[in-house]
Amino acid sequence: MKEVVFNKGHVLFDEKSSTQDEAFERIAELANELGFVTSSASFERDLKEREAEATTGFKDGIAIPHGKSNDVLKSGVFVIKYSNPIEWNALDQKPVEVAIALTIPEEGGQEHLKILSKISRKLLDKEFIRGLKESTNTDEIVNIINEIE
């Protein structure tokens, strides 16, 4: 994956969030701190609006929250590992342990679809999921995400 889209700085071990709202708030703060969105409040709203359409919680403890709007400056991928599993209304009704969040510019629909498709295909790989859930450091997560082609 291109380093401008995903790199070591895009990995967060979140020990504070215990609800989906808190998880969205932290994702939005990270995206804002790294310059991917114009404001954390607007991106948090984008994440919640997207979630209201249909759950981004897949199965096996993984979610792919994402937001698309004019408030998003550039495409990005962020991995957040939760110390406290988050109730997410996932497809398998299990809590989320890892979120792979995406920022999607209004004009970046094609790139977003490619990234989302690649991530979705990789989520069929049990070893990929196990690696994400069991990894304990940033370098491991970067290596795992960089397997996505």
Side-chain angles (χ1 to χ4, degrees):
M1 192 165 298
K2 295 179 194 173
E3 195 168 324
V4 295
V5 174
F6 176 75
N7 62 58
K8 198 173 187 171
H10 295 206
V11 177
L12 173 69
F13 289 87
D14 185 345
E15 298 176 356
K16 296 178 184 174
S17 298
S18 60
T19 67
Q20 189 180 50
D21 283 346
E22 290 172 347
F24 286 156
E25 180 180 0
R26 190 61 197 114
I27 291 166
E29 288 171 354
L30 179 62
N32 186 53
E33 288 166 11
L34 296 175
F36 282 76
V37 297
T38 59
S39 83
S40 56
S42 64
F43 189 60
E44 182 179 349
R45 184 184 63 246
D46 295 340
L47 291 168
K48 290 178 179 180
E49 287 174 1
R50 170 56 188 87
E51 194 69 27
E53 293 173 13
T55 186
T56 58
F58 285 87
K59 58 181 187 164
D60 299 320
I62 307 290
I64 308 177
H66 50 284
K68 177 180 177 180
S69 75
N70 287 325
D71 297 314
V72 176
L73 301 171
K74 54 189 173 181
S75 294
V77 174
F78 309 86
V79 176
I80 300 87
K81 287 197 60 166
Y82 299 104
S83 294
N84 308 304
I86 308 288
E87 290 302 321
W88 207 281
N89 191 30
L91 296 175
D92 64 1
Q93 297 303 307
K94 293 182 180 173
V96 166
E97 298 170 53
V98 179
I100 304 171
L102 307 176
T103 55
I104 306 156
E106 196 65 51
E107 301 300 318
Q110 288 304 105
E111 184 176 8
H112 150 255
L113 290 176
K114 288 178 188 173
I115 293 170
L116 188 56
S117 174
K118 289 175 182 181
I119 292 169
S120 297
R121 278 196 307 273
K122 201 66 176 164
L123 289 179
L124 299 174
D125 180 346
K126 295 292 183 191
E127 288 301 309
F128 175 80
I129 292 170
R130 185 182 61 72
L132 273 181
K133 290 168 67 173
E134 292 179 3
S135 61
T136 58
N137 70 61
T138 303
D139 290 329
E140 288 176 359
I141 292 174
V142 168
N143 290 336
I144 291 166
I145 293 297
N146 282 334
E147 291 176 12
I148 298 173
E149 294 184 21

